[in-house]
Short mmCIF file of all heavy atoms in Angstrom, two decimals:
data_model
loop_
_atom_site.label_atom_id
_atom_site.label_comp_id
_atom_site.label_asym_id
_atom_site.label_seq_id
_atom_site.Cartn_x
_atom_site.Cartn_y
_atom_site.Cartn_z
N ALA A 546 -90.57 28.89 -80.60
CA ALA A 546 -91.41 28.92 -79.38
C ALA A 546 -92.35 30.11 -79.42
O ALA A 546 -92.01 31.17 -79.95
CB ALA A 546 -90.52 29.01 -78.15
N ALA A 547 -93.54 29.94 -78.82
CA ALA A 547 -94.50 31.04 -78.77
C ALA A 547 -94.09 32.03 -77.67
O ALA A 547 -93.78 31.61 -76.56
CB ALA A 547 -95.89 30.49 -78.46
N PRO A 548 -94.08 33.33 -77.99
CA PRO A 548 -93.72 34.30 -76.97
C PRO A 548 -94.83 34.47 -75.92
O PRO A 548 -96.01 34.55 -76.27
CB PRO A 548 -93.55 35.61 -77.74
CG PRO A 548 -93.73 35.29 -79.17
CD PRO A 548 -94.32 33.93 -79.30
N TYR A 549 -94.42 34.52 -74.67
CA TYR A 549 -95.32 34.85 -73.56
C TYR A 549 -94.71 36.10 -72.92
O TYR A 549 -93.72 36.02 -72.19
CB TYR A 549 -95.40 33.67 -72.59
CG TYR A 549 -96.13 33.90 -71.28
CD1 TYR A 549 -96.83 35.07 -71.00
CD2 TYR A 549 -96.15 32.90 -70.31
CE1 TYR A 549 -97.50 35.25 -69.82
CE2 TYR A 549 -96.82 33.07 -69.10
CZ TYR A 549 -97.48 34.25 -68.86
OH TYR A 549 -98.13 34.44 -67.66
N VAL A 550 -95.29 37.25 -73.23
CA VAL A 550 -94.74 38.54 -72.79
C VAL A 550 -95.52 39.02 -71.57
O VAL A 550 -96.76 39.07 -71.60
CB VAL A 550 -94.84 39.58 -73.93
CG1 VAL A 550 -94.33 40.93 -73.46
CG2 VAL A 550 -94.06 39.10 -75.16
N SER A 551 -94.80 39.40 -70.53
CA SER A 551 -95.46 39.90 -69.32
C SER A 551 -95.40 41.42 -69.29
O SER A 551 -94.31 42.01 -69.26
CB SER A 551 -94.77 39.36 -68.07
OG SER A 551 -95.17 38.04 -67.85
N ALA A 552 -96.55 42.03 -69.27
CA ALA A 552 -96.64 43.49 -69.23
C ALA A 552 -96.37 44.00 -67.82
O ALA A 552 -96.59 43.30 -66.84
CB ALA A 552 -98.03 43.93 -69.70
N ASN A 553 -95.92 45.25 -67.76
CA ASN A 553 -95.61 45.89 -66.47
C ASN A 553 -96.89 46.51 -65.91
O ASN A 553 -97.34 47.57 -66.35
CB ASN A 553 -94.53 46.96 -66.71
CG ASN A 553 -94.16 47.71 -65.44
OD1 ASN A 553 -94.86 47.64 -64.44
ND2 ASN A 553 -93.06 48.45 -65.51
N VAL A 554 -97.46 45.85 -64.93
CA VAL A 554 -98.65 46.37 -64.26
C VAL A 554 -98.26 47.09 -62.97
O VAL A 554 -98.87 48.07 -62.57
CB VAL A 554 -99.65 45.22 -63.98
CG1 VAL A 554 -100.81 45.66 -63.09
CG2 VAL A 554 -100.20 44.66 -65.30
N GLY A 555 -97.19 46.62 -62.33
CA GLY A 555 -96.80 47.16 -61.02
C GLY A 555 -96.34 48.59 -61.06
O GLY A 555 -96.74 49.41 -60.23
N SER A 556 -95.48 48.95 -62.05
CA SER A 556 -94.97 50.33 -62.09
C SER A 556 -95.14 50.96 -63.46
O SER A 556 -94.65 52.06 -63.71
CB SER A 556 -93.48 50.36 -61.70
OG SER A 556 -92.69 49.77 -62.73
N GLY A 557 -95.83 50.26 -64.36
CA GLY A 557 -96.07 50.78 -65.70
C GLY A 557 -97.47 51.37 -65.80
O GLY A 557 -98.24 51.37 -64.84
N THR A 558 -97.79 51.83 -66.99
CA THR A 558 -99.12 52.41 -67.20
C THR A 558 -99.91 51.54 -68.17
O THR A 558 -99.34 50.75 -68.93
CB THR A 558 -99.02 53.82 -67.81
OG1 THR A 558 -98.39 53.70 -69.09
CG2 THR A 558 -98.21 54.75 -66.91
N VAL A 559 -101.21 51.76 -68.16
CA VAL A 559 -102.08 51.06 -69.10
C VAL A 559 -101.68 51.44 -70.52
O VAL A 559 -101.61 50.60 -71.43
CB VAL A 559 -103.56 51.42 -68.83
CG1 VAL A 559 -104.47 50.80 -69.86
CG2 VAL A 559 -103.96 50.98 -67.43
N ARG A 560 -101.37 52.70 -70.73
CA ARG A 560 -100.99 53.17 -72.07
C ARG A 560 -99.72 52.47 -72.54
O ARG A 560 -99.62 52.06 -73.71
CB ARG A 560 -100.78 54.69 -72.03
CG ARG A 560 -100.27 55.23 -73.33
CD ARG A 560 -100.14 56.72 -73.32
NE ARG A 560 -99.61 57.18 -74.61
CZ ARG A 560 -99.49 58.45 -74.93
NH1 ARG A 560 -99.85 59.39 -74.08
NH2 ARG A 560 -99.00 58.78 -76.10
N GLU A 561 -98.76 52.32 -71.62
CA GLU A 561 -97.50 51.68 -71.96
C GLU A 561 -97.74 50.23 -72.43
O GLU A 561 -97.18 49.77 -73.43
CB GLU A 561 -96.63 51.69 -70.70
CG GLU A 561 -95.18 51.45 -70.90
CD GLU A 561 -94.42 51.54 -69.55
OE1 GLU A 561 -95.00 51.97 -68.53
OE2 GLU A 561 -93.26 51.14 -69.55
N ALA A 562 -98.60 49.54 -71.70
CA ALA A 562 -98.90 48.14 -72.07
C ALA A 562 -99.64 48.10 -73.41
O ALA A 562 -99.34 47.28 -74.28
CB ALA A 562 -99.73 47.49 -70.97
N ALA A 563 -100.61 49.02 -73.56
CA ALA A 563 -101.40 49.04 -74.80
C ALA A 563 -100.49 49.33 -76.00
O ALA A 563 -100.64 48.73 -77.08
CB ALA A 563 -102.49 50.11 -74.70
N GLU A 564 -99.55 50.24 -75.81
CA GLU A 564 -98.66 50.58 -76.93
C GLU A 564 -97.67 49.45 -77.22
O GLU A 564 -97.26 49.25 -78.37
CB GLU A 564 -97.92 51.89 -76.62
CG GLU A 564 -98.87 53.08 -76.67
CD GLU A 564 -98.20 54.42 -76.47
OE1 GLU A 564 -97.07 54.48 -75.97
OE2 GLU A 564 -98.84 55.44 -76.82
N TRP A 565 -97.29 48.71 -76.21
CA TRP A 565 -96.35 47.60 -76.45
C TRP A 565 -97.00 46.54 -77.33
O TRP A 565 -96.41 46.06 -78.30
CB TRP A 565 -95.90 47.00 -75.10
CG TRP A 565 -94.65 46.16 -75.17
CD1 TRP A 565 -93.82 45.99 -76.25
CD2 TRP A 565 -94.09 45.39 -74.11
NE1 TRP A 565 -92.78 45.18 -75.91
CE2 TRP A 565 -92.91 44.78 -74.61
CE3 TRP A 565 -94.45 45.15 -72.78
CZ2 TRP A 565 -92.10 43.95 -73.82
CZ3 TRP A 565 -93.64 44.33 -72.00
CH2 TRP A 565 -92.49 43.74 -72.51
N ILE A 566 -98.26 46.22 -77.03
CA ILE A 566 -98.91 45.17 -77.83
C ILE A 566 -99.19 45.70 -79.25
O ILE A 566 -99.11 44.94 -80.22
CB ILE A 566 -100.15 44.58 -77.11
CG1 ILE A 566 -100.50 43.23 -77.71
CG2 ILE A 566 -101.35 45.48 -77.10
CD1 ILE A 566 -99.46 42.16 -77.54
N GLU A 567 -99.46 46.99 -79.35
CA GLU A 567 -99.61 47.58 -80.70
C GLU A 567 -98.28 47.49 -81.45
O GLU A 567 -98.24 47.11 -82.63
CB GLU A 567 -100.07 49.04 -80.57
CG GLU A 567 -100.25 49.74 -81.91
CD GLU A 567 -100.50 51.24 -81.78
OE1 GLU A 567 -101.15 51.67 -80.80
OE2 GLU A 567 -100.00 51.99 -82.65
N TYR A 568 -97.20 47.82 -80.78
CA TYR A 568 -95.85 47.76 -81.39
C TYR A 568 -95.55 46.35 -81.88
O TYR A 568 -95.02 46.15 -82.98
CB TYR A 568 -94.83 48.19 -80.33
CG TYR A 568 -93.39 48.29 -80.80
CD1 TYR A 568 -92.88 49.50 -81.25
CD2 TYR A 568 -92.54 47.19 -80.76
CE1 TYR A 568 -91.54 49.62 -81.65
CE2 TYR A 568 -91.22 47.29 -81.16
CZ TYR A 568 -90.71 48.51 -81.61
OH TYR A 568 -89.40 48.61 -82.00
N LEU A 569 -95.90 45.38 -81.05
CA LEU A 569 -95.56 43.99 -81.38
C LEU A 569 -96.41 43.42 -82.51
O LEU A 569 -95.91 42.68 -83.36
CB LEU A 569 -95.75 43.11 -80.13
CG LEU A 569 -94.67 43.20 -79.05
CD1 LEU A 569 -95.21 42.73 -77.70
CD2 LEU A 569 -93.47 42.35 -79.46
N THR A 570 -97.70 43.77 -82.54
CA THR A 570 -98.61 42.96 -83.35
C THR A 570 -99.38 43.69 -84.44
O THR A 570 -100.15 43.07 -85.17
CB THR A 570 -99.64 42.24 -82.44
OG1 THR A 570 -100.41 43.23 -81.76
CG2 THR A 570 -98.97 41.34 -81.43
N ARG A 571 -99.20 45.01 -84.57
CA ARG A 571 -100.05 45.73 -85.53
C ARG A 571 -99.38 45.87 -86.90
O ARG A 571 -98.18 46.15 -86.99
CB ARG A 571 -100.41 47.10 -84.97
CG ARG A 571 -101.59 47.70 -85.69
CD ARG A 571 -102.29 48.77 -84.92
NE ARG A 571 -103.29 49.36 -85.79
CZ ARG A 571 -104.58 49.10 -85.73
NH1 ARG A 571 -105.04 48.30 -84.80
NH2 ARG A 571 -105.42 49.65 -86.58
N ALA A 572 -100.19 45.64 -87.93
CA ALA A 572 -99.62 45.57 -89.29
C ALA A 572 -99.68 46.90 -90.04
O ALA A 572 -98.85 47.15 -90.89
CB ALA A 572 -100.36 44.50 -90.09
N ASP A 573 -100.66 47.74 -89.74
CA ASP A 573 -100.89 48.90 -90.61
C ASP A 573 -99.93 50.06 -90.28
O ASP A 573 -98.85 49.84 -89.75
CB ASP A 573 -102.36 49.32 -90.54
CG ASP A 573 -102.74 49.80 -89.14
OD1 ASP A 573 -101.81 49.93 -88.30
OD2 ASP A 573 -103.93 50.03 -88.87
N ASP A 574 -100.38 51.27 -90.54
CA ASP A 574 -99.51 52.43 -90.38
C ASP A 574 -99.76 53.13 -89.05
O ASP A 574 -99.69 54.35 -88.94
CB ASP A 574 -99.76 53.39 -91.57
CG ASP A 574 -98.68 54.44 -91.65
OD1 ASP A 574 -97.52 54.12 -91.29
OD2 ASP A 574 -99.00 55.57 -92.05
N SER A 575 -100.07 52.37 -88.03
CA SER A 575 -100.34 52.98 -86.71
C SER A 575 -99.04 53.53 -86.14
O SER A 575 -97.94 53.16 -86.58
CB SER A 575 -100.92 51.93 -85.75
OG SER A 575 -99.88 51.13 -85.23
N PRO A 576 -99.14 54.42 -85.15
CA PRO A 576 -97.90 55.03 -84.61
C PRO A 576 -96.89 54.01 -84.11
O PRO A 576 -95.70 54.12 -84.39
CB PRO A 576 -98.42 55.90 -83.45
CG PRO A 576 -99.86 56.10 -83.70
CD PRO A 576 -100.36 54.97 -84.54
N MET A 577 -97.35 52.98 -83.41
CA MET A 577 -96.41 52.00 -82.86
C MET A 577 -95.86 51.08 -83.95
O MET A 577 -94.70 50.68 -83.91
CB MET A 577 -97.06 51.19 -81.74
CG MET A 577 -97.34 51.98 -80.49
SD MET A 577 -95.84 52.68 -79.76
CE MET A 577 -96.17 54.42 -79.96
N ALA A 578 -96.69 50.76 -84.93
CA ALA A 578 -96.22 49.92 -86.04
C ALA A 578 -95.14 50.68 -86.81
O ALA A 578 -94.13 50.11 -87.26
CB ALA A 578 -97.37 49.53 -86.95
N ARG A 579 -95.34 51.99 -86.93
CA ARG A 579 -94.35 52.83 -87.62
C ARG A 579 -93.03 52.85 -86.85
O ARG A 579 -91.94 52.76 -87.41
CB ARG A 579 -94.91 54.25 -87.78
CG ARG A 579 -94.63 54.84 -89.14
CD ARG A 579 -95.27 56.20 -89.31
NE ARG A 579 -96.71 56.19 -89.06
CZ ARG A 579 -97.36 57.18 -88.43
NH1 ARG A 579 -96.72 58.23 -87.96
NH2 ARG A 579 -98.67 57.11 -88.27
N LEU A 580 -93.13 52.94 -85.54
CA LEU A 580 -91.93 52.94 -84.70
C LEU A 580 -91.17 51.61 -84.84
O LEU A 580 -89.95 51.57 -84.93
CB LEU A 580 -92.32 53.18 -83.23
CG LEU A 580 -91.20 53.21 -82.20
CD1 LEU A 580 -90.20 54.34 -82.50
CD2 LEU A 580 -91.76 53.38 -80.79
N ARG A 581 -91.93 50.52 -84.86
CA ARG A 581 -91.31 49.20 -85.02
C ARG A 581 -90.55 49.13 -86.34
O ARG A 581 -89.42 48.63 -86.40
CB ARG A 581 -92.39 48.11 -84.95
CG ARG A 581 -91.82 46.69 -85.01
CD ARG A 581 -92.92 45.67 -85.18
NE ARG A 581 -93.56 45.79 -86.48
CZ ARG A 581 -94.87 45.97 -86.66
NH1 ARG A 581 -95.70 46.03 -85.63
NH2 ARG A 581 -95.37 46.07 -87.89
N ARG A 582 -91.20 49.65 -87.38
CA ARG A 582 -90.54 49.63 -88.70
C ARG A 582 -89.28 50.47 -88.68
O ARG A 582 -88.24 50.07 -89.22
CB ARG A 582 -91.50 50.13 -89.78
CG ARG A 582 -92.52 49.10 -90.12
CD ARG A 582 -93.27 49.35 -91.41
NE ARG A 582 -94.40 48.44 -91.38
CZ ARG A 582 -95.61 48.75 -90.94
NH1 ARG A 582 -95.90 50.00 -90.56
NH2 ARG A 582 -96.56 47.85 -90.88
N ALA A 583 -89.36 51.62 -88.02
CA ALA A 583 -88.16 52.47 -87.93
C ALA A 583 -87.04 51.74 -87.21
O ALA A 583 -85.86 52.00 -87.44
CB ALA A 583 -88.52 53.77 -87.21
N ASN A 584 -87.42 50.81 -86.33
CA ASN A 584 -86.41 50.04 -85.59
C ASN A 584 -86.03 48.74 -86.29
O ASN A 584 -85.38 47.88 -85.71
CB ASN A 584 -86.92 49.74 -84.17
CG ASN A 584 -86.93 50.99 -83.30
OD1 ASN A 584 -86.13 51.88 -83.51
ND2 ASN A 584 -87.83 51.04 -82.33
N GLY A 585 -86.47 48.60 -87.56
CA GLY A 585 -85.94 47.52 -88.37
C GLY A 585 -86.81 46.31 -88.57
O GLY A 585 -86.39 45.34 -89.18
N ARG A 586 -88.06 46.34 -88.08
CA ARG A 586 -88.91 45.16 -88.27
C ARG A 586 -90.19 45.59 -88.98
O ARG A 586 -91.00 46.33 -88.41
CB ARG A 586 -89.23 44.52 -86.90
CG ARG A 586 -90.29 43.45 -86.94
CD ARG A 586 -89.79 42.11 -87.42
NE ARG A 586 -90.92 41.17 -87.52
CZ ARG A 586 -90.79 39.86 -87.59
NH1 ARG A 586 -89.60 39.30 -87.58
NH2 ARG A 586 -91.86 39.09 -87.69
N ASP A 587 -90.35 45.08 -90.18
CA ASP A 587 -91.49 45.47 -91.00
C ASP A 587 -92.77 44.75 -90.56
O ASP A 587 -93.77 45.37 -90.19
CB ASP A 587 -91.16 45.16 -92.46
CG ASP A 587 -92.20 45.77 -93.39
OD1 ASP A 587 -92.92 46.68 -92.93
OD2 ASP A 587 -92.28 45.33 -94.55
N GLU A 588 -92.69 43.42 -90.59
CA GLU A 588 -93.89 42.62 -90.29
C GLU A 588 -94.18 42.58 -88.79
O GLU A 588 -93.25 42.53 -87.99
CB GLU A 588 -93.67 41.17 -90.75
CG GLU A 588 -93.58 40.99 -92.25
CD GLU A 588 -94.86 41.47 -92.93
OE1 GLU A 588 -95.95 41.05 -92.50
OE2 GLU A 588 -94.75 42.29 -93.87
N PRO A 589 -95.45 42.57 -88.42
CA PRO A 589 -95.76 42.38 -87.00
C PRO A 589 -95.40 40.96 -86.57
O PRO A 589 -95.31 40.06 -87.40
CB PRO A 589 -97.27 42.60 -86.93
CG PRO A 589 -97.77 42.32 -88.31
CD PRO A 589 -96.66 42.68 -89.25
N TRP A 590 -95.21 40.79 -85.29
CA TRP A 590 -95.01 39.45 -84.76
C TRP A 590 -96.35 38.90 -84.27
O TRP A 590 -97.34 39.64 -84.12
CB TRP A 590 -94.06 39.47 -83.57
CG TRP A 590 -92.63 39.81 -83.87
CD1 TRP A 590 -91.69 39.01 -84.44
CD2 TRP A 590 -91.96 41.04 -83.57
NE1 TRP A 590 -90.48 39.66 -84.50
CE2 TRP A 590 -90.61 40.91 -83.98
CE3 TRP A 590 -92.35 42.25 -82.97
CZ2 TRP A 590 -89.67 41.92 -83.82
CZ3 TRP A 590 -91.41 43.26 -82.82
CH2 TRP A 590 -90.09 43.09 -83.24
N SER A 591 -96.34 37.61 -84.00
CA SER A 591 -97.51 37.02 -83.35
C SER A 591 -97.18 36.85 -81.87
O SER A 591 -96.11 36.32 -81.53
CB SER A 591 -97.78 35.68 -84.04
OG SER A 591 -98.55 34.88 -83.21
N VAL A 592 -98.05 37.34 -81.02
CA VAL A 592 -97.85 37.20 -79.56
C VAL A 592 -99.10 36.54 -78.98
O VAL A 592 -100.10 37.21 -78.72
CB VAL A 592 -97.60 38.57 -78.89
CG1 VAL A 592 -97.46 38.42 -77.38
CG2 VAL A 592 -96.36 39.22 -79.46
N PRO A 593 -99.07 35.25 -78.78
CA PRO A 593 -100.29 34.60 -78.27
C PRO A 593 -100.53 34.81 -76.78
O PRO A 593 -101.67 34.86 -76.34
CB PRO A 593 -100.06 33.12 -78.58
CG PRO A 593 -98.59 32.97 -78.78
CD PRO A 593 -98.04 34.30 -79.20
N PHE A 594 -99.45 34.90 -75.99
CA PHE A 594 -99.63 34.93 -74.52
C PHE A 594 -99.18 36.27 -73.95
O PHE A 594 -98.08 36.74 -74.22
CB PHE A 594 -98.85 33.78 -73.88
CG PHE A 594 -99.25 32.43 -74.42
CD1 PHE A 594 -98.36 31.66 -75.15
CD2 PHE A 594 -100.54 31.94 -74.21
CE1 PHE A 594 -98.73 30.42 -75.66
CE2 PHE A 594 -100.92 30.70 -74.72
CZ PHE A 594 -100.01 29.95 -75.45
N TRP A 595 -100.03 36.82 -73.11
CA TRP A 595 -99.83 38.19 -72.60
C TRP A 595 -100.11 38.17 -71.10
O TRP A 595 -101.25 37.96 -70.67
CB TRP A 595 -100.79 39.11 -73.34
CG TRP A 595 -100.71 40.57 -73.07
CD1 TRP A 595 -101.69 41.35 -72.51
CD2 TRP A 595 -99.64 41.47 -73.41
NE1 TRP A 595 -101.29 42.66 -72.47
CE2 TRP A 595 -100.03 42.76 -73.02
CE3 TRP A 595 -98.39 41.29 -73.99
CZ2 TRP A 595 -99.21 43.88 -73.19
CZ3 TRP A 595 -97.57 42.41 -74.17
CH2 TRP A 595 -97.98 43.68 -73.78
N GLY A 596 -99.07 38.39 -70.31
CA GLY A 596 -99.22 38.35 -68.84
C GLY A 596 -99.56 39.72 -68.30
O GLY A 596 -98.97 40.73 -68.70
N LEU A 597 -100.50 39.77 -67.36
CA LEU A 597 -100.91 41.04 -66.76
C LEU A 597 -100.19 41.18 -65.42
O LEU A 597 -100.76 40.95 -64.35
CB LEU A 597 -102.43 41.08 -66.59
CG LEU A 597 -103.24 40.86 -67.89
CD1 LEU A 597 -104.73 40.75 -67.59
CD2 LEU A 597 -102.97 41.99 -68.89
N GLY A 598 -98.89 41.52 -65.49
CA GLY A 598 -98.09 41.70 -64.28
C GLY A 598 -97.61 40.38 -63.71
O GLY A 598 -97.77 39.31 -64.31
N ASN A 599 -97.01 40.45 -62.53
CA ASN A 599 -96.41 39.28 -61.90
C ASN A 599 -96.44 39.45 -60.39
O ASN A 599 -96.07 40.51 -59.87
CB ASN A 599 -94.94 39.16 -62.36
CG ASN A 599 -94.19 38.08 -61.62
OD1 ASN A 599 -94.37 36.90 -61.92
ND2 ASN A 599 -93.36 38.45 -60.65
N GLU A 600 -96.87 38.44 -59.69
CA GLU A 600 -96.90 38.43 -58.22
C GLU A 600 -97.30 39.80 -57.65
O GLU A 600 -96.56 40.44 -56.90
CB GLU A 600 -95.54 37.97 -57.66
CG GLU A 600 -95.22 36.55 -58.06
CD GLU A 600 -94.01 35.92 -57.34
OE1 GLU A 600 -93.31 36.62 -56.59
OE2 GLU A 600 -93.79 34.71 -57.54
N PRO A 601 -98.50 40.27 -57.99
CA PRO A 601 -98.91 41.60 -57.54
C PRO A 601 -99.04 41.71 -56.02
O PRO A 601 -98.99 42.81 -55.47
CB PRO A 601 -100.28 41.81 -58.21
CG PRO A 601 -100.65 40.52 -58.83
CD PRO A 601 -99.47 39.61 -58.83
N TRP A 602 -99.16 40.56 -55.36
CA TRP A 602 -99.24 40.55 -53.90
C TRP A 602 -97.87 40.80 -53.27
O TRP A 602 -97.75 41.05 -52.08
CB TRP A 602 -99.78 39.19 -53.41
CG TRP A 602 -99.24 38.04 -54.21
CD1 TRP A 602 -99.81 37.46 -55.30
CD2 TRP A 602 -97.97 37.38 -54.04
NE1 TRP A 602 -99.00 36.46 -55.81
CE2 TRP A 602 -97.87 36.40 -55.05
CE3 TRP A 602 -96.92 37.51 -53.13
CZ2 TRP A 602 -96.76 35.55 -55.18
CZ3 TRP A 602 -95.82 36.67 -53.26
CH2 TRP A 602 -95.75 35.71 -54.27
N GLY A 603 -96.79 40.77 -54.07
CA GLY A 603 -95.43 40.92 -53.55
C GLY A 603 -94.65 41.91 -54.39
O GLY A 603 -94.98 43.11 -54.43
N CYS A 604 -93.63 41.40 -55.10
CA CYS A 604 -92.75 42.30 -55.86
C CYS A 604 -93.50 43.07 -56.94
O CYS A 604 -93.03 44.11 -57.39
CB CYS A 604 -91.58 41.52 -56.46
SG CYS A 604 -92.08 40.29 -57.70
N GLY A 605 -94.66 42.61 -57.34
CA GLY A 605 -95.39 43.27 -58.42
C GLY A 605 -96.32 44.37 -57.96
O GLY A 605 -97.23 44.78 -58.70
N GLY A 606 -96.13 44.87 -56.74
CA GLY A 606 -96.93 46.03 -56.34
C GLY A 606 -97.52 45.96 -54.94
O GLY A 606 -98.13 46.93 -54.47
N GLY A 607 -97.37 44.83 -54.27
CA GLY A 607 -97.85 44.73 -52.89
C GLY A 607 -99.35 44.99 -52.75
O GLY A 607 -99.80 45.66 -51.83
N MET A 608 -100.13 44.44 -53.69
CA MET A 608 -101.59 44.71 -53.69
C MET A 608 -102.37 43.58 -53.05
O MET A 608 -101.91 42.45 -52.97
CB MET A 608 -102.10 44.81 -55.13
CG MET A 608 -101.62 46.00 -55.88
SD MET A 608 -102.06 45.80 -57.64
CE MET A 608 -100.45 45.84 -58.38
N GLY A 609 -103.59 43.91 -52.67
CA GLY A 609 -104.55 42.88 -52.28
C GLY A 609 -105.21 42.32 -53.54
O GLY A 609 -105.13 42.91 -54.62
N ALA A 610 -105.88 41.20 -53.36
CA ALA A 610 -106.48 40.52 -54.51
C ALA A 610 -107.53 41.39 -55.21
O ALA A 610 -107.57 41.45 -56.45
CB ALA A 610 -107.11 39.20 -54.07
N ALA A 611 -108.36 42.08 -54.44
CA ALA A 611 -109.45 42.85 -55.06
C ALA A 611 -108.88 44.02 -55.87
O ALA A 611 -109.34 44.30 -56.98
CB ALA A 611 -110.41 43.34 -53.99
N ALA A 612 -107.87 44.69 -55.30
CA ALA A 612 -107.27 45.83 -56.01
C ALA A 612 -106.63 45.34 -57.30
O ALA A 612 -106.78 45.95 -58.37
CB ALA A 612 -106.24 46.51 -55.13
N TYR A 613 -105.93 44.22 -57.23
CA TYR A 613 -105.27 43.70 -58.44
C TYR A 613 -106.31 43.27 -59.47
O TYR A 613 -106.15 43.51 -60.68
CB TYR A 613 -104.33 42.53 -58.12
CG TYR A 613 -103.87 41.89 -59.42
CD1 TYR A 613 -102.99 42.56 -60.26
CD2 TYR A 613 -104.41 40.68 -59.84
CE1 TYR A 613 -102.63 42.03 -61.49
CE2 TYR A 613 -104.05 40.13 -61.08
CZ TYR A 613 -103.15 40.81 -61.90
OH TYR A 613 -102.81 40.29 -63.12
N ALA A 614 -107.38 42.65 -59.01
CA ALA A 614 -108.39 42.15 -59.94
C ALA A 614 -108.94 43.29 -60.79
O ALA A 614 -109.16 43.14 -62.01
CB ALA A 614 -109.50 41.44 -59.18
N GLU A 615 -109.16 44.45 -60.16
CA GLU A 615 -109.65 45.61 -60.92
C GLU A 615 -108.61 46.04 -61.96
O GLU A 615 -108.94 46.33 -63.11
CB GLU A 615 -109.95 46.78 -59.97
CG GLU A 615 -111.12 46.54 -59.02
CD GLU A 615 -112.43 46.34 -59.78
OE1 GLU A 615 -112.67 47.06 -60.77
OE2 GLU A 615 -113.22 45.45 -59.39
N LEU A 616 -107.35 46.09 -61.52
CA LEU A 616 -106.29 46.50 -62.43
C LEU A 616 -106.16 45.53 -63.60
O LEU A 616 -105.93 45.93 -64.74
CB LEU A 616 -104.95 46.51 -61.68
CG LEU A 616 -104.41 47.83 -61.15
CD1 LEU A 616 -103.00 47.64 -60.62
CD2 LEU A 616 -104.44 48.92 -62.22
#
Side-chain angles (χ1 to χ4, degrees):
Y549 172 6
V550 177
S551 282
N553 178 346
V554 171
S556 70
T558 62
V559 175
R560 175 176 179 175
E561 197 179 349
E564 289 184 343
W565 198 7
I566 199 63
E567 180 189 326
Y568 184 93
L569 284 159
T570 62
R571 197 160 173 103
D573 64 8
D574 194 32
S575 80
M577 290 301 115
R579 222 176 305 141
L580 180 61
R581 184 190 66 236
R582 284 195 194 94
N584 288 331
R586 170 79 185 197
D587 190 18
E588 292 301 309
W590 291 284
S591 160
V592 177
F594 303 114
W595 185 244
L597 304 173
N599 173 77
E600 297 191 354
W602 39 267
C604 65
M608 291 169 240
Y613 171 70
E615 293 298 319
L616 262 188

